[in-house]
Amino acid sequence: NIGSQLVTLTVTDLAGNSSTCISTVVVGPTVTANAGPNITQNGKTFTMAATLGANETGTWSVVSPSGFALSNIANVSSPTTTVTVNAPNTPITLLWTVTNTSSGCSASSQVVLTRTANVLSVKAFLAGPLNGSLMNDNLRSLGVIPTTSPYGDGATTSSSVFTVTGNNAIVDWVQVQLRSSSSSVVASISALIQRDGDIVGVDGVSPLELSVPDGNYYVDVLHRNHLGVMTSSTRSLSNGTGSSVNFTSSATSTYGANAQKLIGSVTAMYAGDASGDKQVKYAGTGSDNFTILAAIILGAPGNNQSSVLSGVYNNADVNMDGVVRYAGTGTDRFVILGTVISNGGNASTVIVQQF
């Protein structure tokens, strides 16, 4: 029976001597712990389903991995707390310990949380800022890269991400898309591109995660003043298995013909789409040269073609040095000319995005 019980214990030795002890023993209720079912899902926020009886308290603790912070558990005493799991495809084991407040008896139960995600590793070069095997990060050093993505999806990053220097310094925002066909986009994500071409999440370091069903997808990269590039064939994506695309390698087959510019031993996205019309045009009506000139003339009262816009984040800055320049040396229009003649063309050639 549950409750206090008097227990009499008598001990008798071989000579017939005996001793009796009477003690009170408290019998408590059986304590059972249930941490709930294991959970596998795509989202970062897990809602727990542990149980807790009358006169019981519960506590969550981390079993593994050792680096998983207890602060990811919103309320360590709640059986239905939420838990944030940031790392994809890494099982998190938690322990739910229940203690009866009257008897002090306890029991524990484990639960495993697994956040699935399609992880994509992408590398690309932007020809405008490319200098050898690294891109210049003038926009970052000038402090003009916005913390909100220019691609309209509301993605944001922290200004601290732009304090990183070296090969992993951020050059600009890009957009990565998955397509079921060359014309059908099924997922799109704003991302950041580093000097060495690695395209990472908004934290500046993590690989890209896309919430799509397992399947085969074309992968493309877009930029606000460079022509986009896409794989020539689909790539397999499945939870727990990462996929990678290296657009900087000429060995990577791309959609269409001459989709990128060959610079030395690497390939890079064509620079010069200042107008954002998916083509680079040096001469004639609607040329990107005119877009550059217009940006300068409209930049400030009294500006002319010899004026410059300095310390700006502007699509007309196709070499991405933070300066829009039409006349003189180092002009942005010469970058456009270099693009259109790169494959044996001339000043009248128009380079068109291939998808």
Side-chain angles (χ1 to χ4, degrees):
N1 295 327
I2 296 174
S4 298
Q5 306 288 331
L6 289 178
V7 177
T8 301
L9 177 64
T10 301
V11 179
T12 303
D13 62 16
L14 294 176
N17 302 312
S18 64
S19 177
T20 300
C21 176
I22 300 176
S23 180
T24 301
V25 176
V26 178
V27 179
T30 301
V31 179
T32 302
N34 181 3
N38 295 335
I39 305 174
T40 298
Q41 66 179 43
N42 188 266
K44 293 184 177 182
T45 302
F46 289 72
T47 299
M48 307 311 296
T51 59
L52 194 65
N55 301 316
E56 291 180 343
T57 60
T59 303
W60 290 104
S61 57
V62 178
V63 177
S64 66
S66 58
F68 188 76
L70 197 62
S71 58
N72 288 311
I73 304 174
N75 184 347
V76 296
S77 300
S78 170
T80 56
T81 186
T82 57
V83 180
T84 302
V85 178
N86 290 307
N89 308 316
T90 302
I92 307 297
T93 303
L94 302 180
L95 185 71
W96 176 241
T97 301
V98 174
T99 302
N100 183 275
T101 55
S102 60
S103 68
C105 297
S106 63
S108 298
S109 172
Q110 293 186 358
V111 64
V112 178
L113 311 179
T114 305
R115 177 177 167 246
T116 59
N118 281 311
V119 178
L120 184 63
S121 174
V122 184
K123 187 170 185 174
F125 279 143
L126 304 172
L130 185 61
N131 183 8
S133 60
L134 294 173
M135 290 177 285
N136 295 325
D137 60 337
N138 297 50
L139 299 180
R140 182 204 64 80
S141 61
L142 288 170
V144 296
I145 304 177
T147 55
T148 299
S149 166
Y151 301 107
D153 59 1
T156 60
T157 187
S158 167
S159 58
S160 63
V161 170
F162 301 137
T163 63
V164 176
T165 59
N167 291 3
N168 293 332
I170 300 302
V171 174
D172 199 5
W173 289 91
V174 294
Q175 187 177 46
V176 176
Q177 297 181 327
L178 297 181
R179 297 172 181 246
S180 57
S181 69
S182 62
S183 59
S184 180
V185 177
V186 296
S188 180
I189 186 173
S190 287
L192 299 168
I193 187 167
Q194 299 176 342
R195 292 188 66 202
D196 59 5
D198 291 336
I199 297 176
V200 295
V202 295
D203 63 355
V205 294
S206 298
L208 303 180
E209 299 175 19
L210 296 109
S211 297
V212 293
D214 293 354
N216 299 314
Y217 302 95
Y218 293 90
V219 180
D220 71 64
V221 178
L222 304 176
H223 183 260
R224 58 192 175 87
N225 60 17
H226 286 62
L227 298 185
V229 62
M230 182 169 67
T231 56
S232 63
S233 58
T234 59
R235 299 299 177 95
S236 176
L237 287 179
S238 61
N239 285 324
T241 303
S243 183
S244 63
V245 179
N246 183 4
F247 286 116
T248 73
S249 171
S250 58
T252 298
S253 181
T254 53
Y255 192 88
N258 298 317
Q260 293 198 98
K261 182 177 181 179
L262 181 63
I263 304 176
S265 61
V266 300
T267 49
M269 295 164 61
Y270 287 115
D273 185 15
S275 64
D277 62 355
K278 297 184 179 181
Q279 62 180 15
V280 178
K281 188 176 184 180
Y282 182 78
T285 304
S287 72
D288 292 288
N289 276 339
F290 179 78
T291 301
I292 294 171
L293 180 59
I296 293 172
I297 297 298
L298 299 174
N303 275 4
N304 56 50
Q305 68 176 23
S306 297
S307 302
V308 298
L309 302 179
S310 299
V312 295
Y313 186 81
N314 192 303
N315 288 359
D317 174 24
V318 294
N319 65 0
M320 297 170 59
D321 63 353
V323 179
V324 180
R325 190 190 306 271
Y326 183 81
T329 59
T331 67
D332 291 288
R333 66 191 182 100
F334 284 165
V335 175
I336 296 172
L337 180 60
T339 292
V340 299
I341 68 174
S342 60
N343 291 319
N346 55 50
S348 298
T349 301
V350 178
I351 305 295
V352 180
Q353 183 171 301
Q354 296 298 291
F355 59 95

